[in-house]
Amino acid sequence: QVRLVESGGGLVQAGGSLILSCAASGTIFRMYVRGWYRQTPGKHRELVATITSGCDTNYADSVKGRFTISRDNAKNTVYLQMNSLKPEDTAVYYCTFVARGSLSNINYWGQGTQDTVSS
């Protein structure tokens, strides 16, 4: 089965930068969208950024101008470049790949990586 492996999380000071990566094993056919979510204890998982197969991107208002999502098809990897980090960015970040299946969409999830921003 296809699995997503995340890396790059850690502790960073406010104003710093962090890069998250999410690599998928094998090829995912009929790719629809790849994205990043984040979640803090007691809160619903929040959509942070998405990138379509046509390279269109979308960002949550809270991260616009600071975060950049990109992909490397050769490596089957999606990245999240996070700049000017704020304490409120602290969360567990999850990557998601969504493919168009014959009957329904197929969702793949990363294991989650902790991003902690200190003030």
Side-chain angles (χ1 to χ4, degrees):
Q1 296 182 9
V2 174
R3 293 185 178 184
L4 307 184
V5 180
E6 299 181 31
S7 62
L11 176 64
V12 66
Q13 193 173 12
S17 299
L18 196 64
I19 302 175
L20 305 182
S21 65
C22 177
S25 63
T27 301
I28 299 177
F29 295 98
R30 302 178 67 185
M31 182 70 71
Y32 171 47
V33 64
R34 285 172 265 199
W36 291 91
Y37 288 77
R38 66 186 181 186
Q39 187 172 23
T40 56
K43 292 185 177 181
H44 186 74
R45 190 169 296 183
E46 173 192 17
L47 179 64
V48 176
T50 60
I51 183 168
T52 69
S53 58
C55 290
D56 292 326
T57 58
N58 191 35
Y59 300 92
D61 290 339
S62 59
V63 305
K64 286 182 178 178
R66 299 188 298 118
F67 290 13
T68 302
I69 187 171
S70 62
R71 69 171 191 252
D72 185 335
N73 288 340
K75 297 180 179 180
N76 207 10
T77 301
V78 65
Y79 304 92
L80 186 66
Q81 173 71 57
M82 302 184 290
N83 298 324
S84 301
L85 284 165
K86 304 175 181 180
E88 51 263 42
D89 294 320
T90 296
V92 177
Y93 285 73
Y94 299 88
C95 63
T96 303
F97 285 24
V98 182
R100 296 291 194 186
S102 298
L103 301 178
S104 62
N105 290 341
I106 303 173
N107 295 78
Y108 304 94
W109 290 91
Q111 80 279 8
T113 182
Q114 178 69 49
D115 171 27
T116 301
V117 183
S118 61
S119 60

